[in-house]
Amino acid sequence: MTLMRALARTMLAGYFVVNGAKALKDPTPYAAEQEKFASKVVPLAKKVAPAEVATAIPTDTASLARISGGLQVAGGLGLIFGKGRRLGAGLLAASMVPQLMSGGAGQGASLEQKAAARNELLKNLALVGGALVAAGDTEGQPSIAWRAQDQANRIGRRVEKARAQLEKDAEVSKREARKRLKRARKDAKKRVKEISS
């Protein structure tokens, strides 16, 4: 990992770790951000999830704020320390969904409130974008999917080469078997002639 990558990840993760720790400690200021998520996404998740899981999904905004905070802390630490950094960055992006859903000034807002809401939305989008870039960063190494495909291609080439070699060996064996059979027939004819004369 280059120094620049390490610094960039630490700077990006720093916001999430601090914000997540605050939400874990006191979720009240963050509960309002969870309102739209709790009213729209949670009921849908409860319908789709199996019954055992659906009963465990919290509906209160304070619990959702704590879960989001926990995701931010875990994802941020993963991003900083490099263990599970891509998964951690994905968790960070996912943890921002409630904030993105709550963006907007609402009806009857003043121009200043609308500008502040727009700036907050742009900041949240930038954070999600940074987290998504970090989630896709393979540090110049091929991705797992590429490596798996490359390995499959290599195995395919080895199998094809082995098949071709087997066909060649079978052809050689077939020719040798024909030659032996021909010799055996000649020898048998000779012996038959010798016996009959």
Side-chain angles (χ1 to χ4, degrees):
M1 175 170 36
T2 64
L3 181 61
M4 186 169 79
R5 269 193 173 100
L7 286 172
R9 285 184 191 152
T10 303
M11 287 188 282
L12 176 64
Y15 169 82
F16 289 104
V17 171
V18 170
N19 201 42
K22 286 180 187 176
L24 284 170
K25 186 176 180 183
D26 181 21
T28 309
Y30 301 93
E33 295 174 341
Q34 304 290 332
E35 284 294 332
K36 281 188 182 175
F37 188 79
S39 65
K40 293 183 180 179
V41 177
V42 170
L44 180 65
K46 283 186 174 260
K47 282 182 187 175
V48 174
E52 305 84 39
V53 176
T55 57
I57 297 174
T59 54
D60 65 302
T61 56
S63 295
L64 292 171
R66 279 200 167 103
I67 290 169
S68 183
L71 287 175
Q72 289 182 355
V73 169
L77 292 175
L79 194 59
I80 289 170
F81 295 114
K83 294 292 181 192
R85 61 182 166 68
R86 294 180 71 193
L87 174 63
L91 290 175
L92 295 179
S95 74
M96 291 298 291
V97 170
Q99 284 90 331
L100 290 174
M101 287 181 72
S102 70
Q107 294 281 351
S110 68
L111 289 175
E112 292 159 352
Q113 289 171 328
K114 287 180 181 178
R118 185 176 53 249
N119 287 340
E120 185 70 18
L121 177 64
L122 289 173
K123 178 197 78 166
N124 289 338
L125 283 172
L127 287 168
V128 170
L132 290 174
V133 167
D137 181 24
T138 60
E139 293 186 343
Q141 301 297 317
S143 68
I144 292 172
W146 184 90
R147 283 186 253 176
Q149 183 62 47
D150 182 56
Q151 191 64 28
N153 291 342
R154 288 177 189 217
I155 290 169
R157 285 192 296 268
R158 281 191 216 132
V159 166
E160 185 59 33
K161 191 175 177 180
R163 185 189 63 77
Q165 186 63 45
L166 281 172
E167 284 178 359
K168 187 178 176 183
D169 292 346
E171 190 60 38
V172 168
S173 297
K174 197 164 132 183
R175 277 184 291 197
E176 286 178 5
R178 281 184 190 149
K179 285 179 184 177
R180 287 181 188 153
L181 183 60
K182 201 173 182 181
R183 270 190 245 131
R185 281 182 184 162
K186 279 184 182 180
D187 289 344
K189 282 181 183 178
K190 266 185 188 180
R191 288 193 183 132
V192 168
K193 278 184 181 181
E194 286 173 3
I195 293 171
S196 61
S197 55

